[in-house]
Amino acid sequence: MASTAGDFEGKRGTRLATALVFVTALFFIWAFVTNLIDPLVKSMKVIYTLSDFETQLNQFAFFIAYGVMSIPAAWYLSRRGYANAIVLGLIGVLSGCLIAWSTSLSHSFVTVLIGLFVAASGITLLQVAANPLIASMGDQKSSHFRLNLSQAFNSLGAYVGGIFGATYLLKGDLFVKDVVLTDALKAEGLSFVTGVYLLIAAALVVFIGAVLLVRGTIAAHAPALPDTVESPLSALGSRWANLGALAIFLYVGAEVCVISGMIFFLEQPQILNIPSQTAGYVAPIFMLLAMVGRFGGSVLLRRISATTMLAFVAAGASLLCLIVMATYANPATPLGGSMTLPGGYVAPLTTGFVPAAAAIMLGLFNSIMFPTIFTLTLERSSAPASATSGLMCMAICGGGFISILYGAVIDVFAGGVPVGARSLAFVVPLACYLYVLWFARAARHAETHAIEEGVSAGH
């Protein structure tokens, strides 16, 4: 019996919907892997007895890949297409996880760093491909809905990654307060780390196999490939492209250093005085607030100008950093009562909840910074939109550079103010947010133009 046209269209629609599910899942996957680093930072510091500067090399190894691999990723995409780029990107993440797992054999911190760089290289390729792809897969009128939905899954992946990492990377006696570290405890902690990355690698093998089944549908709905690839470096001749790239560099750096140091910050006696694993459960609330802020911010941006909104959140983030810094010498004075934290830990209410809440609330104010800076820059840059976009994607490497600066500043302050060093080190994200505030005010008076090339970006 011959298939009717309706049956054909139905099967075609089902295949497209299935492909959309897998492409949307990519946003979850790279956010999950990225935010797994936050509890990993704590784990590596204890296992390898690292300074704060050395600890932040985890973030540096990961985020430097954006600066190194963005141009090769764009080149590969232009030559091999979106479907192939996604498969290779996933293989890169898989390879990075396997390298991290191999630390069980090498016992070297350097192996972990190499694994993070390789995984981030794969994620860079996924980001280059997935953002424009999700916009093109379906009715153009609903492209913004698909992008927002994908970003929601990105935020969800970030939250789940943090919780998963706290559960499996921060378990065991190794993270009990005042424990005497032994080689056996460190070996047990390392086995948890390598086991997690082996588990993720196994899940990725299954996912890659599934993606291969819908590879043809992805390729059929992908945007047309450009004849030439505009180098992000060509945007260096535009003043506003440079200003916008610097804003992205500093914003991402501020976010990464705050969230990667959150567990260390919250577990301090003068803050919440909680176990490492409990701090690992509380820290991802930062990303939940970012998800709420993205939805709320998208509504507010319909009524408030982008420059005003960016200035407001940058000023708010700066104020929160100042609150953390101003309370650096305050003891955790009891306020009476207690609060049950995520994970079931009951913590007494103290004045330490004030700087803790200020640090976590930064997630809400960070939420709209990336897309707002992105679009404001594209509207003002004299360089082609594709080159400007590429330069800003490369600037995501700021997450690596600012985080190691943050670690170095903590080490410096610890020499003179050991108790409040982590609070005073918020001067690093404060400086970043003040630049974003200046950028928002400067953008208000700059000439704008239509964005002639389609740009879809996510973070």
Side-chain angles (χ1 to χ4, degrees):
M1 180 177 178
S3 299
T4 65
D7 291 335
F8 176 77
E9 288 298 324
K11 292 179 181 178
R12 185 171 179 270
T14 300
R15 288 196 297 270
L16 176 58
T18 302
L20 272 169
V21 169
F22 283 111
V23 175
T24 300
L26 296 175
F27 288 77
F28 180 95
I29 289 171
W30 78 57
F32 180 95
V33 174
T34 300
N35 286 272
L36 195 64
I37 302 176
D38 302 327
L40 177 69
V41 165
K42 171 67 179 181
S43 183
M44 292 294 98
K45 181 176 176 64
V46 176
I47 292 172
Y48 289 105
T49 318
L50 305 173
S51 68
D52 278 281
F53 173 81
E54 293 169 332
T55 300
Q56 292 299 334
L57 289 174
N58 290 278
Q59 298 288 11
F60 180 80
F62 189 90
F63 281 93
I64 193 64
Y66 283 94
V68 174
M69 298 305 296
S70 287
I71 293 178
W75 178 88
Y76 182 85
L77 175 64
S78 69
R79 297 298 187 274
R80 300 290 294 164
Y82 286 82
N84 288 327
I86 285 175
V87 172
L88 182 60
L90 286 168
I91 291 174
V93 181
L94 168 63
S95 300
C97 289
L98 289 176
I99 293 172
W101 165 79
S102 73
T103 307
S104 60
L105 306 175
S106 71
H107 301 284
S108 171
F109 178 49
V110 174
T111 310
V112 176
L113 298 181
I114 294 172
L116 291 175
F117 176 82
V118 173
S121 297
I123 289 173
T124 301
L125 184 52
L126 290 180
Q127 290 220 39
V128 169
N131 282 292
L133 182 59
I134 199 72
S136 68
M137 296 181 72
D139 187 353
Q140 187 62 34
K141 293 180 180 179
S142 59
S143 63
H144 293 290
F145 167 76
R146 292 193 298 275
L147 281 168
N148 279 318
L149 180 64
S150 298
Q151 287 301 309
F153 274 90
N154 184 268
S155 297
L156 179 62
Y159 176 74
V160 174
I163 295 295
F164 181 87
T167 302
Y168 295 103
L169 298 181
L170 301 179
K171 68 178 182 178
D173 294 336
L174 183 65
F175 301 100
V176 174
K177 285 185 178 295
D178 302 320
V179 68
V180 177
L181 296 177
T182 64
D183 290 341
L185 281 177
K186 291 182 179 181
E188 181 185 50
L190 185 60
S191 71
F192 291 149
V193 171
T194 56
V196 162
Y197 279 100
L198 182 60
L199 179 63
I200 295 173
L204 284 171
V205 169
V206 176
F207 186 78
I208 291 170
V211 168
L212 290 173
L213 296 178
V214 295
R215 188 177 184 178
T217 304
I218 292 174
H221 291 84
L225 295 175
D227 295 328
T228 59
V229 179
E230 190 71 44
S231 171
L233 300 180
S234 67
L236 291 175
S238 167
R239 175 174 178 266
W240 273 100
N242 286 314
L243 293 176
L246 181 57
I248 292 292
F249 183 94
L250 294 174
Y251 148 70
V252 175
E255 181 174 85
V256 170
C257 72
V258 169
I259 190 61
S260 67
M262 189 69 74
I263 293 173
F264 299 99
F265 180 75
L266 296 177
E267 67 183 356
Q268 294 178 105
Q270 78 277 17
I271 305 299
L272 296 185
N273 195 27
I274 54 179
S276 298
Q277 190 171 59
T278 301
Y281 289 136
V282 175
I285 295 175
F286 180 102
M287 299 310 302
L288 273 185
L289 290 174
M291 182 169 64
V292 171
R294 281 175 174 169
F295 285 115
S298 63
V299 174
L300 291 174
L301 282 168
R302 292 178 177 272
R303 302 182 179 182
I304 304 173
S305 71
T307 53
T308 299
M309 195 68 185
L310 182 61
F312 172 77
V313 296
S318 300
L319 178 60
L320 291 173
C321 288
L322 287 171
I323 291 173
V324 172
M325 294 174 64
T327 57
Y328 82 95
N330 292 357
T333 305
L335 298 175
S338 62
M339 176 179 290
T340 302
L341 300 175
Y345 186 87
V346 179
L349 284 172
T350 69
T351 52
F353 272 77
V354 174
I360 293 172
M361 282 291 291
L362 282 168
L364 182 64
F365 287 86
N366 278 1
S367 59
I368 68 157
M369 285 190 185
F370 188 91
T372 307
I373 293 170
F374 216 99
T375 52
L376 287 175
T377 303
L378 288 171
E379 292 169 347
R380 289 157 179 78
S381 172
S382 59
S386 56
T388 303
S389 174
L391 184 63
M392 286 190 285
C393 287
M394 289 179 65
I396 295 174
C397 69
F401 288 98
I402 300 299
S403 59
I404 60 171
L405 172 63
Y406 171 74
V409 169
I410 292 175
D411 289 337
V412 170
F413 278 130
V417 194
V419 174
R422 295 190 182 279
S423 296
L424 290 174
F426 270 68
V427 68
V428 175
L430 171 61
C432 297
Y433 292 131
L434 287 175
Y435 175 83
V436 174
L437 176 59
W438 174 86
F439 174 85
R441 293 180 62 84
R444 182 178 302 171
H445 306 292
E447 293 184 5
T448 62
H449 57 77
I451 303 173
E452 297 179 351
E453 299 175 30
V455 177
S456 297
H459 170 61

